[in-house]
């Protein structure tokens, strides 16, 4: 008995181990595929829409109307950057932590990386590209330049959009109100002081308009 165990151990070579591992990896790759197919064919009831169906949506982005077919998993950020080529909206963390992807949705600051495109059906979206006119930057954009409120600039579009949302609702915010409104945006370069100064300057110039 002991001898047959030893025999077995001897014949279990490295090559056999790797072959076994390869087989396991292969079956692991096949299983999710089968499951995905099952999900596609899954229906709530006879005659209803499959769970994994695409959907046609219509939304307005920077004043232009778009009709698009979207997958249920597609984010608004993906739609804006990769399909409409509006790359001013930044994909930084892609998981709701930094605010770099902030856009205005019906006037409210929204993380586009966390917002599914299907839910944007019928919404009005403004991105950083939609703020300036041909001749003039938005007051907040101009103030960011005047006050040097950026270093690498990667966070700037998100900060600008959150600031515009604030100033559209509150023309004369206190420093505390500014900090609260921008609490969902992170600047890795740590340029907060100048960002706050820029927003104060923008609020003054917007009040003059
Ligand atoms: S990219 Fe959306 S919150 Fe960071
Ligand atoms: S200016 Fe670099 S992250 Fe804010």
């Amino acid at each position: 008995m002991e001898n047959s165990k030893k025999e077995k151990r001897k014949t279990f070579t490295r090559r056999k181990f790797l072959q076994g591992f390869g087989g396991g990896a292969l079956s692991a790759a096949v299983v999710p595929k089968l499951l995905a197919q099952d999900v596609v064919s899954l229906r709530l009831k006879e005659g209803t829409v499959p769970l994994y169906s695409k959907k046609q949506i219509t939304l307005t982005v920077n004043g232009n109307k778009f009709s698009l077919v979207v997958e249920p998993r597609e984010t608004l950020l993906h739609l804006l950057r990769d399909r409409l080529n509006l790359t001013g909206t930044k994909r930084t963390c892609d998981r709701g932590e930094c605010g770099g992807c902030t856009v205005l949705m019906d006037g409210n600051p929204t993380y586009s990386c966390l917002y599914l495109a299907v839910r944007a059906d019928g919404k009005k979206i403004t991105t950083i590209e939609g703020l300036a006119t041909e001749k003039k930057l938005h007051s907040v954009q101009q103030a960011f330049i005047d006050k040097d409120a950026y270093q690498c600039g990667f966070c700037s579009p998100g900060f600008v959009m959150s600031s515009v949302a604030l100033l559209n609702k509150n023309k004369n915010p206190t420093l505390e109100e500014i900090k609260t409104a921008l609490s969902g945006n992170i600047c890795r370069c740590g340029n907060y002081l100048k960002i706050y100064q820029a927003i104060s300057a923008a609020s003054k110039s917007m009040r003059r308009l």
Side-chain angles (χ1 to χ4, degrees), residues 149-156 159 186-191 195:
Y150 51 85
Q151 288 182 36
C152 74
F154 218 76
C155 68
S156 306
F159 269 101
I186 291 174
C187 174
R188 287 166 180 81
C189 300
N191 214 21
I195 292 171

Side-chain angles (χ1 to χ4, degrees), residues 39 49 58 67 92 94 112 117 128 132 134 150 154-155 176 190 200:
V39 171
V49 184
T58 303
S67 258
T92 321
D94 210 11
S112 59
I128 189 84
E134 260 180 42
Y150 51 85
F154 218 76
C155 68
E176 276 317 301
S200 293

Side-chain angles (χ1 to χ4, degrees), residues 43-193:
R43 286 164 195 270
L44 295 171
K45 276 188 212 160
E46 196 57 34
T48 57
V49 184
L51 291 178
Y52 190 70
S53 64
K54 294 182 179 179
K55 193 183 169 212
Q56 172 120 22
I57 62 165
T58 303
L59 72 173
T60 306
V61 182
N62 300 333
N64 301 310
K65 223 171 194 181
F66 294 93
S67 258
L68 299 150
V69 174
V70 296
E71 288 188 25
R73 64 179 177 156
E74 188 173 347
T75 63
L76 178 60
L77 176 62
H78 178 267
L79 184 151
L80 293 171
R81 285 183 58 88
D82 303 319
R83 297 182 67 187
L84 301 185
N85 209 22
L86 295 169
T87 53
T89 304
K90 297 301 175 210
R91 180 183 288 124
T92 321
C93 70
D94 210 11
R95 57 183 179 190
E97 287 178 356
C98 71
C101 63
T102 305
V103 297
L104 301 190
M105 180 175 292
D106 295 337
N108 298 311
T110 304
Y111 286 172
S112 59
C113 72
L114 292 185
Y115 204 93
L116 288 174
V118 281
R119 292 185 59 213
D121 191 21
K123 305 280 188 193
K124 269 192 190 158
I125 313 291
T126 308
T127 70
I128 189 84
E129 291 90 345
L131 292 183
T133 62
E134 260 180 42
K135 292 187 179 154
K136 202 168 181 284
L137 289 175
H138 188 282
S139 302
V140 175
Q141 292 173 306
Q142 189 60 56
F144 265 63
I145 293 169
D146 296 343
K147 296 288 175 189
D148 244 351
Y150 51 85
Q151 288 182 36
C152 74
F154 218 76
C155 68
S156 306
F159 269 101
V160 168
M161 298 315 290
S162 295
S163 309
V164 170
L166 167 69
L167 297 178
N168 282 344
K169 289 183 179 155
N170 179 356
K171 295 263 179 281
N172 194 12
T174 62
L175 180 58
E176 276 317 301
E177 287 170 333
I178 293 173
K179 284 184 181 175
T180 303
L182 300 186
S183 57
N185 294 78
I186 291 174
C187 174
R188 287 166 180 81
C189 300
N191 214 21
Y192 294 99
L193 196 58

